[in-house]
């Protein structure tokens, strides 16, 4: 009997080491899926219309080519993201579940790639770090929001590139370098925040320099070439963000001092949410910037002091803490105020901005905890990370419920930040579309009070008044929307549609013409004008308007249908 037991133990000793890695990987993905189960029943929320439900890019066969050849047509040049959504649309169409499942799977794969990377770098507790990354609630915004496919897909390619880059530093094989560059390009084509990857590799090289000596000049040349490519993609994104998305028209930050003040406080904000992930919000309160306030200078000065302390103590602590802080701050540089971003109109910070930047910070926190736990009893050394992982997974599961619908998202945002114009505005519009006009009016009125210069809010108020039958009030709000949104072709389009419903067709045509002048990349003004010309019996002008629409956007189905009607 004793011999049988001994044989079983021997067999187990042979099998378990082989299964340990695969089982740990399966557990990592399984925990991710369980934590994000509510996302599988969630719907589409804000901006998902631009990416899926109302996107002409993914609804037409020519859209796939257009994503690669016409950057301005998709606002942000992330063609791999659009390609993935185009492919998925061929499979499950307008069913949101499929898109959510893919996001969750990508996030789970990213955790696996992170685990592999940390093991290759011989960092402590790599599986725990990967699990914390997979289950941290600050990442719910990147995973449960379909529009943030940008984060999880670019993260996948970025982690592939980093794994390949570390292998190249170990073996110096040209094929490995080529693989790293291909993955880097794929990451850039998914989201250009990954343009910092060459700098990340540079910091890792400095951190592990004794192990990677030799060939530094060649590595510097490769790094500079990669940085140049990333800078070119970054310039394109900044141009589109400023001139197409509209960040350049926000005029929020003036001069380098204000940008440094925003960046310094944002860095501490993100570290705080990683350490204590409570009161997470889709839109955080945007703090005011005051160059005359001494207190506001303490934020950037404190972070610089932290870097200096890590540098001074590198002989005692090692280079790891300083490397982690540099990687954290450097990866966040594109999003903390040094560049104009449209979301800064609502808040200086957002959870999805630190999807990749959180990795070095979480790695540092877990390493510090791992070192501190060496003094604990063996049972406690196991219990502490288990409790942490379970707690984070529970918080993530609860946070994911917030993303089940636009109404749930905006109500949760208002519960934590009742003074955010965006949440009042969007909840009001969503309630208006749902026919809940009285509550819609309350939220839109509050939005107009908080942001009196918003033309879209007054447009939405006008539409609600129209549904109530209060046409004089609707007219007044439409006029205010036109005044405030003087540069917006879309606002003129919607007001033109209002005039069509009021049977003022010539007024509508005038607004469609103005919309076409203000937004030359939009085909809709010509399509709607074609329909009005047709109602007026002017078939020639209708035909010309439809043709102009198709010249701008060959995928405009309404324009095609209009031409077919005229044959």
């Amino acid at each position: 009997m004793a011999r049988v037991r001994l044989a079983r133990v021997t067999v187990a000793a042979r099998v378990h080491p082989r299964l340990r890695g695969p089982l740990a990987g399966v557990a990592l993905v399984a925990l991710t899926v369980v934590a994000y189960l509510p996302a599988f029943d969630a719907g589409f929320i804000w901006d998902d219309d631009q990416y899926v439900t109302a996107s002409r890019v993914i609804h037409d066969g020519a859209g796939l080519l257009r994503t690669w050849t016409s950057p301005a047509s998709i606002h942000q040049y992330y063609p791999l993201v659009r390609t993935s959504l185009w492919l998925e649309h061929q499979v499950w169409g307008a069913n949101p579940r499929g898109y959510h499942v893919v996001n969750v799977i990508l996030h789970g794969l990213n955790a696996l790639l992170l685990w592999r990377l940390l093991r290759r770098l011989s960092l402590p507790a790599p599986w725990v770090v990967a699990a914390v990354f997979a289950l941290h609630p600050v990442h719910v915004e990147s995973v449960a929001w379909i529009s943030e496919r940008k984060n999880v897909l670019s993260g996948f390619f970025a982690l592939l590139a980093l794994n390949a880059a570390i292998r190249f530093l170990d073996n110096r094989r040209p094929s490995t370098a080529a693989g790293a560059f291909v993955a880097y390009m794929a990451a850039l084509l998914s989201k250009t925040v990954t343009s910092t990857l060459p700098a990340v590799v540079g910091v890792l090289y400095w951190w592990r320099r004794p192990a990677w000596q030799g060939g530094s000049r060649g590595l510097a040349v490769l790094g500079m070439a990669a940085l140049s490519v990333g800078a070119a993609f970054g310039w394109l994104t900044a141009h589109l963000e400023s001139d197409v998305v509209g960040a350049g028209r926000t005029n929020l930050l003036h001069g380098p001092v204000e940008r440094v003040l925003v960046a310094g406080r944002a860095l501490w904000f993100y570290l705080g949410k990683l350490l204590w992930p409570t009161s997470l919000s889709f839109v955080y309160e945007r703090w005011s910037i005051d160059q005359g306030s001494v207190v506001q200078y303490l934020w950037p000065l404190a972070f610089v002091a932290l870097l200096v302390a890590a540098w001074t103590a590198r002989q005692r602590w090692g280079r790891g803490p300083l490397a982690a802080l540099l990687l954290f701050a450097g990866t966040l540089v594109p999003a903390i105020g040094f560049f104009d971003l449209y979301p800064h109109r609502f808040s200086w910070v957002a959870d999805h901005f630190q999807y990749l930047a959180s990795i070095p910070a979480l790695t540092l926190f877990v390493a510090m905890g791992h070192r501190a736990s060496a003094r604990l009893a063996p049972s406690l050394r196991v219990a502490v990370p288990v409790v942490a992982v379970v707690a984070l997974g529970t918080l993530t599961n609860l946070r994911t419920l917030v993303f089940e619908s636009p109404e749930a998202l905006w109500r949760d945002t208002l519960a934590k930040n009742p003074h955010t114009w965006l949440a009042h505005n969007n909840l009001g519009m969503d309630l208006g579309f749902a026919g809940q006009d009285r509550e819609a009016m309350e939220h839109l009125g509050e939005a107009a009070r908080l942001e009196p210069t918003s033309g879209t809010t007054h447009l939405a108020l006008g539409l609600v008044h129209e549904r109530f039958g209060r046409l004089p009030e609707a007219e007044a709000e439409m006029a205010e929307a036109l005044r405030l949104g003087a540069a917006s072709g879309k606002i003129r389009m919607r007001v033109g549609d209002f005039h069509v419903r009021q049977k003022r067709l010539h007024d509508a045509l005038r607004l469609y013409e103005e919309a076409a002048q203000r937004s030359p990349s939009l085909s809709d003004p010509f399509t709607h004008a074609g329909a009005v010309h047709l109602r007026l019996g002017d078939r020639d002008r209708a035909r010309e308007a439809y043709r102009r629409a198709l010249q701008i956007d060959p995928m405009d189905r309404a324009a095609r249908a209009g031409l077919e009607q005229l044959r």
Side-chain angles (χ1 to χ4, degrees):
M1 191 69 175
R3 290 180 181 177
V4 172
R5 289 179 180 173
L6 181 60
R8 287 178 179 173
V9 170
T10 303
V11 171
R14 290 176 184 171
V15 174
H16 288 176
R18 296 177 184 176
L19 293 178
R20 195 173 301 153
L23 287 176
V26 169
L28 196 57
V29 176
L31 286 171
T32 305
V33 171
V34 170
Y36 281 97
L37 277 176
F40 296 166
D41 293 323
F44 296 108
I45 58 171
W46 188 49
D47 261 8
D48 287 344
D49 56 340
Q50 294 187 27
Y51 280 85
V52 182
T53 56
S55 172
R56 290 174 181 167
V57 169
I58 69 168
H59 283 76
D60 191 284
L64 189 58
L65 178 62
R66 191 175 175 85
T67 62
W68 294 87
T69 59
S70 181
S73 68
I74 54 175
H75 303 300
Q76 295 172 317
Y77 189 62
Y78 302 148
L80 268 183
V81 172
R82 300 284 183 162
T83 299
S84 72
L85 295 173
W86 185 91
L87 291 170
E88 289 173 54
H89 188 265
Q90 314 312 307
V91 180
W92 34 70
N95 185 346
R97 173 170 291 183
Y99 304 96
H100 284 298
V101 168
V102 171
N103 269 21
V104 173
I105 290 174
L106 280 170
H107 184 55
L109 291 176
N110 289 345
L112 283 177
L113 288 170
L114 175 60
W115 179 40
R116 185 175 181 178
L117 176 67
L118 297 177
R119 290 178 65 186
R120 188 176 293 276
L121 293 171
S122 301
L123 285 162
W127 190 92
V128 175
V129 176
V132 169
F133 170 78
L135 302 177
H136 203 291
V138 82
H139 294 143
V140 171
E141 191 171 296
S142 295
V143 182
W145 185 11
I146 293 172
S147 293
E148 278 309 310
R149 171 67 57 82
K150 298 171 288 189
N151 262 356
V152 290
L153 189 62
S154 66
F156 175 75
F157 289 118
L159 288 165
L160 275 180
L162 283 175
N163 273 281
I166 300 307
R167 285 201 309 274
F168 172 69
L169 291 175
D170 287 332
N171 61 36
R172 303 301 172 92
R173 294 175 183 169
S175 60
T176 310
F181 185 75
V182 169
Y184 175 53
M185 287 297 298
L188 289 172
L189 291 167
S190 302
K191 191 172 185 179
T192 49
V193 70
T194 55
S195 60
T196 59
L197 280 180
V200 170
V201 176
V203 173
L204 292 176
Y205 180 82
W206 170 81
W207 167 58
R208 290 195 63 185
R209 189 169 56 189
W212 287 330
Q213 286 181 346
S216 58
R217 181 175 298 177
L219 290 175
V221 172
L222 289 173
M224 290 303 296
L227 275 175
S228 299
V229 173
F233 274 89
W235 174 87
L236 176 60
T237 298
H239 165 69
L240 294 175
E241 189 78 19
S242 175
D243 297 343
V244 177
V245 179
R249 297 189 292 272
T250 56
N251 297 320
L252 294 174
L253 292 172
H254 304 281
V257 174
E258 286 191 351
R259 295 182 186 277
V260 169
L261 293 178
V262 169
R265 186 165 177 180
L267 289 169
W268 286 107
F269 173 89
Y270 288 123
L271 284 175
K273 289 301 179 184
L274 290 176
L275 281 170
W276 195 251
T278 58
S279 300
L280 300 180
S281 178
F282 191 66
V283 182
Y284 293 99
E285 184 177 359
R286 194 183 73 197
W287 59 82
S288 60
I289 306 301
D290 182 5
Q291 296 187 47
S293 171
V294 176
V295 175
Q296 294 201 14
Y297 289 87
L298 297 179
W299 296 102
L301 289 174
F303 197 83
V304 171
L306 183 63
L307 293 176
V308 171
W311 169 261
T312 304
R314 68 189 186 282
Q315 298 297 332
R316 182 158 44 95
W317 298 348
R319 297 179 177 182
L322 179 57
L325 291 171
L326 289 173
L327 292 174
F328 168 74
T331 305
L332 276 171
V333 160
I336 53 177
F338 295 115
F339 301 96
D340 292 325
L341 300 177
Y342 187 74
H344 287 165
R345 183 181 179 187
F346 318 117
S347 177
W348 301 123
V349 291
D351 288 345
H352 68 275
F353 284 164
Q354 67 163 327
Y355 183 73
L356 287 175
S358 69
I359 291 174
L362 293 175
T363 303
L364 178 60
F365 295 156
V366 172
M368 292 169 63
H370 181 75
R371 176 177 291 186
S373 69
R375 302 176 182 177
L376 299 175
S379 58
L380 286 177
R381 286 203 299 269
V382 175
V384 169
V386 168
V387 170
V389 166
V390 171
L392 289 172
T394 302
L395 289 174
T396 289
N397 192 271
L398 295 173
R399 179 68 183 154
T400 304
L401 291 170
V402 171
F403 288 77
E404 67 178 0
S405 68
E407 183 176 347
L409 180 66
W410 298 125
R411 289 192 186 281
D412 177 80
T413 302
L414 288 173
K416 296 164 181 172
N417 183 10
H419 304 298
T420 173
W421 159 78
L422 180 68
H424 280 293
N425 182 77
N426 288 6
L427 179 58
M429 289 195 294
D430 290 337
L431 291 172
F433 289 134
Q436 302 177 45
D437 290 329
R438 295 192 182 281
E439 189 179 0
M441 186 70 73
E442 294 175 7
H443 285 288
L444 290 171
E446 181 65 9
R449 186 187 69 80
L450 292 168
E451 183 56 74
T453 62
S454 169
T456 57
T457 300
H458 288 281
L459 174 65
L461 279 167
L463 294 174
V464 174
H465 280 304
E466 181 188 6
R467 283 195 294 272
F468 274 124
R470 298 194 289 256
L471 294 182
E473 291 86 348
E475 293 275 4
E477 294 293 348
M478 295 293 178
E480 186 67 2
L482 288 174
R483 186 184 70 82
L484 294 171
S488 172
K490 291 184 177 180
I491 287 180
R492 272 170 162 64
M493 275 280 309
R494 297 293 299 276
V495 178
D497 294 342
F498 168 76
H499 285 314
V500 169
R501 291 191 295 273
Q502 303 307 313
K503 297 181 172 56
R504 296 199 295 270
L505 302 185
H506 292 287
D507 290 338
L509 285 173
R510 175 179 54 80
L511 287 170
Y512 292 149
E513 181 180 345
E514 293 174 0
Q517 293 172 352
R518 286 164 172 76
S519 302
S521 63
L522 289 179
S523 64
D524 290 339
F526 293 105
T527 303
H528 289 222
V532 173
H533 283 306
L534 201 56
R535 287 180 62 175
L536 291 171
D538 194 336
R539 297 174 63 87
D540 290 337
R541 288 190 176 181
R543 185 177 292 105
E544 177 60 24
Y546 288 136
R547 285 175 176 168
R548 291 284 301 278
L550 289 173
Q551 287 174 0
I552 296 171
D553 184 1
M555 296 181 292
D556 192 324
R557 295 182 178 180
R560 283 188 200 168
L563 281 179
E564 289 292 331
Q565 186 179 351
L566 288 167
R567 286 184 180 176

